[in-house]
Every structure is written in structure tokens, then in C-alpha cells.
Amino acid sequence: MTTASPETPVLSPTRRGPWARSRGPLLALLLLVVSGVVLAALQSGEQYGRLDPRSTDRTGSAALARLLASHGVSTQVVTTSEEAAAAAGPHTTLLVTDPDMLTQAQLTGLHTATAHTSGRTVLIGPGPSALETFAPGVQREPSVGISVRRPACSLPAARRAGNALLGGLRYATSVDGADRCYPSGGRPTLLRLPAPRTGRDTVLLGSPDLLYNRHLAADGNASLALQLLGTRKHLVWYLPSLSDPSSAQDDQRSFFELIPSGWRWGLLQLTFAAVCAALWRARRLGPLVPEKLPVTVPATETTEGHARLYEQAGARDRASEILRSAARTRIAPLTGVPPVHAHTSDVLLPAVRAHVAEPPGTGTDLHDLLFGPAPADDRALVHLADQLDALESLIVSQERHAPREHPDR
């Protein structure tokens, strides 16, 4: 075995270059950029959303649009209420995929534009506002699961289609002549309200699942969708959007619109300055470097500081327990008790009594001295410390003067 010579230099941390310090953040940024590029490439084909007749995804409706086109029905996709109201003229079918996204002003304008024209309005999952506008007297019932259901009504389109995938919201109405189809619990999930004198009826669908690409070819979904949406030569497919300017109230402005333009530039500059300051003041990431303490605090000062803190907090219970625990830990090996049993009264007390007939001080029991309750005041705490110190000194002195047995030679 060899030992290091005194001249052997002590290894100390070395400074790393700028590249080594910034390698971790740069790798994380590169990984983020690569992940974004991969996700963008994977989603590049998803140009449209749910129930969009241009989407070929599982929840799109391109298959239905092609089926309608093969039967001579043209489909016009609109995304604003103004476009929908202008396109839904006479002899047209208006499909609203999400009526609950429309404001009351949009619903009223759309109903006014279509109320006096012939055709059909199909609403998917309408809520109370849309029902009050387009189907007065109809109440929405709690939704049910989506499953293949029987028509159970006299509507010719439903009877010809047969079983279809329906469910979701249910509706209740007392309107005479209404067709209540595909019921669940006695409430229909497809409700057709008769046309008024203008000849425009209203169809309520509890769920859109039968219009999806993935479900269109199953059961009678294609037949039912074709008959509901293809009764007129022109179909207006309205996809409500939050970006529709008419969806915002005229008297409501966003937070940034309320900020003057000069303050916006000032806020941007302050943000940029704060980021630069954070980067400038940010500490270098790296391993911890051990350093020597500038000042060595003596153990006596540390002990005195702890004692003053206990005194200020009035923590005599905590202080007495620390004193007793330390005394038991030191006394145990002197009396032949293993350290693991130093704080067990049934083991430590008999060993102490074998070395000390009577504890120092009058009227004090060993159990109360080593395992007793907390002192009542500071004076009693000082007295306890003196007794523990005297007990330990007595045991040490007896150990020194105890005769030692020599083994037989």
C-alpha cells in the first residue's frame, strides 16, 4: 500500500468553459424544437376539426359530404352566423353542429333569416337558449349513453333507415305532430318538429356520432344521415367558431384593447429588460463546490446559543429531554448496557442501581431523574442538570476504583 506524498497536489474544481456551462440548456432547447417539428409533421394532415365535412379523420364528416354529393346535394361550409343566415335561403337545409357556441344575438339573427323560408334546420345537441329560439316548447332531458337504437316512431326517414347510432341528449315536448324517434327511457334522442306554414321543419339530434366517418357505414347511420340532410338540393353546413366577430359583444373589449398603445410598447420593453436582467443575474448551474467556513464557532458558543433559544421559548420540556437523553447515552456504556437499550427504562435502571445505591441529592428517584417529567421552572431545570452531572461523575469514579479481576494463569 502506498501513501500520497505531502507534495501531491489536491484536486480542486476547475472552471468550465461557456459551452460546458450552457450545454444542458442548449440540449433541452434543441429537444424542444425537434419535438415541435415532429408533432407539426405528424399533425400536418389534420387541417379540419370535428364534424367538418372536409375532414377525413375519424371524427370528421368527409364521407357524408361525398355521399350527399353523389346524390346531387351540394354542401357549403360556413363559419360565421352572417354567412349562415345569407346562405340558408329557400329550399335549403341548415345544419348547426354546435348551437351552444352561439350567442343569443346570433341565434336570433339566424332564426329570423330562416323562419320565413322553406327547408329544414338540423340542430345537434341544442341547449336551452337554442331550444327557446328554434324549438319553443321543447325541454332538454338528461343525456344517456350512445348506442344503436330502434326508430320506434312513424317518421319515414327513420323507418327506412332502421337501427342507428343515437343517444346523448333527450328531449320532451307536447307539440302536436312531432316525431319522437330513437327513444331512451321514453324520451326521444331524435325529435322532428313539424313545419309551420312556411314549410320549414326542425330536427333535433341528441348526438352527432352517426355523422362521423368512423360510424357512417354501420347499421342505418348513412341512410338516416342522407335522409335528414339530403332532402333539399343545397346543404349549409354551419361550424360555429369562437373567432366569429359576431360572437363578441359590442360593449365588451379585451384586456389588451383597454391598454393604450404607448403603454403596450412600454410593457413590452420592461418585459424584455426583466428577461435580460434575469439572464445576467442568473447563477451558473453546476456542482456544489466545498469551501471552508470563514469563521469557526466554538462548541461552547453553539451550546450556549441553543440554551438561550430554549430559555426564550420556555421549552423546558425539550431542554430536559435533551439533557436526560444525553446523560442516558453516556451512562449506558459505563454500566454495561448496549447503546440500543440506553433509553429503555426496564434495562437501564437496574444496571444503574447496581452501580449506584442512591442517586446524588436527597429525595430523588433514579426513574424520576432519568425518565421523569419536565421541570416546573428554570430553577428546577438547572437542578436537574446538576443532578445528572453528579450521577455521571459518581458512576465514572466508581468505575475507576472498582477492582479488576485477572484471569487465572
Side-chain angles (χ1 to χ4, degrees):
M1 184 175 64
T2 60
T3 58
S5 61
E7 291 78 9
T8 302
V10 180
L11 297 178
S12 60
T14 58
R15 295 184 177 180
R16 298 184 295 175
W19 161 245
R21 293 197 299 267
S22 59
R23 181 171 50 190
L26 289 177
L27 290 177
L29 180 60
L30 179 61
L31 180 61
L32 182 62
V33 172
V34 172
S35 301
V37 172
V38 172
L39 290 177
L42 293 177
Q43 298 179 357
S44 59
E46 300 180 3
Q47 302 177 0
Y48 309 107
R50 186 180 68 94
L51 281 178
D52 196 310
R54 300 162 294 184
S55 174
T56 57
D57 296 338
R58 291 167 55 86
T59 57
S61 299
L64 177 57
R66 294 172 184 174
L67 179 63
L68 291 169
S70 65
H71 286 75
V73 179
S74 61
T75 301
Q76 180 181 356
V77 180
V78 295
T79 56
T80 65
S81 59
E82 288 82 0
E83 293 176 343
H91 310 293
T92 61
T93 300
L94 172 63
L95 171 64
V96 184
T97 59
D98 197 349
D100 288 346
M101 290 185 62
L102 303 179
T103 63
Q104 187 58 50
Q106 289 176 307
L107 291 171
T108 302
L110 195 59
H111 179 261
T112 302
T114 59
H116 303 289
T117 59
S118 60
R120 169 174 290 177
T121 300
V122 181
L123 305 176
I124 299 179
S129 298
L131 291 176
E132 184 180 357
T133 303
F134 285 91
V138 178
Q139 293 81 35
R140 185 175 68 171
E141 298 289 333
S143 60
V144 295
I146 310 297
S147 62
V148 178
R149 305 182 186 276
R150 297 174 54 251
C153 66
S154 59
L155 181 65
R159 296 179 65 87
R160 285 192 293 265
N163 297 344
L165 185 65
L166 275 165
L169 294 176
R170 298 176 299 168
Y171 301 96
T173 182
S174 58
V175 177
D176 296 333
D179 294 304
R180 303 167 177 84
C181 303
Y182 301 96
S184 174
R187 300 297 186 184
T189 58
L190 187 155
L191 179 64
R192 190 195 75 89
L193 301 175
R197 286 175 295 180
T198 57
R200 190 176 193 88
D201 61 355
T202 303
V203 177
L204 309 180
L205 281 176
S207 68
D209 291 68
L210 67 92
L211 307 180
Y212 291 156
N213 293 328
R214 59 178 176 177
H215 296 314
L216 189 65
D219 301 300
N221 296 338
S223 176
L224 180 61
L226 181 61
Q227 295 180 79
L228 292 179
L229 303 180
T231 55
R232 276 77 179 176
K233 294 297 182 181
H234 185 62
L235 170 64
V236 179
W237 198 299
Y238 180 23
L239 298 170
S241 172
L242 293 176
S243 60
D244 186 354
S246 61
S247 63
Q249 301 294 335
D250 295 337
D251 57 345
Q252 294 181 354
R253 292 188 297 173
S254 65
F255 173 76
F256 291 100
E257 291 177 346
L258 297 175
I259 300 177
S261 58
W263 284 94
R264 298 177 195 171
W265 284 108
L267 180 61
L268 179 61
Q269 294 175 6
L270 288 176
T271 303
F272 181 77
V275 172
C276 292
L279 294 176
W280 170 56
R281 297 295 297 174
R283 299 185 61 181
R284 177 180 63 86
L285 300 178
L288 296 176
V289 179
E291 295 181 359
K292 292 183 179 181
L293 293 176
V295 178
T296 302
V297 181
T300 55
E301 293 186 11
T302 303
T303 304
E304 184 179 356
H306 287 175
R308 293 187 182 277
L309 291 175
Y310 288 139
E311 182 183 7
Q312 292 177 2
R316 287 183 292 272
D317 53 346
R318 175 65 176 164
S320 62
E321 177 57 30
I322 292 176
L323 292 174
R324 285 183 171 124
S325 177
R328 292 193 298 263
T329 302
R330 294 190 297 267
I331 290 173
L334 298 176
T335 57
V337 176
V340 69
H341 296 298
H343 307 289
T344 305
S345 60
D346 296 339
V347 178
L348 181 63
L349 291 178
V352 175
R353 289 193 181 100
H355 288 72
V356 179
E358 183 179 350
T362 59
T364 304
D365 183 68
L366 276 176
H367 183 276
D368 294 339
L369 180 60
L370 294 174
F371 297 93
D377 51 26
D378 293 343
R379 184 182 183 87
L381 179 62
V382 174
H383 183 61
L384 173 64
D386 294 338
Q387 286 184 308
L388 292 173
D389 185 58
L391 176 62
E392 185 178 352
S393 300
L394 180 59
I395 295 176
V396 170
S397 64
Q398 290 185 0
E399 280 292 315
R400 290 177 180 175
H401 296 87
R404 301 184 181 275
E405 298 179 358
H406 297 277
D408 296 337
R409 297 182 179 179

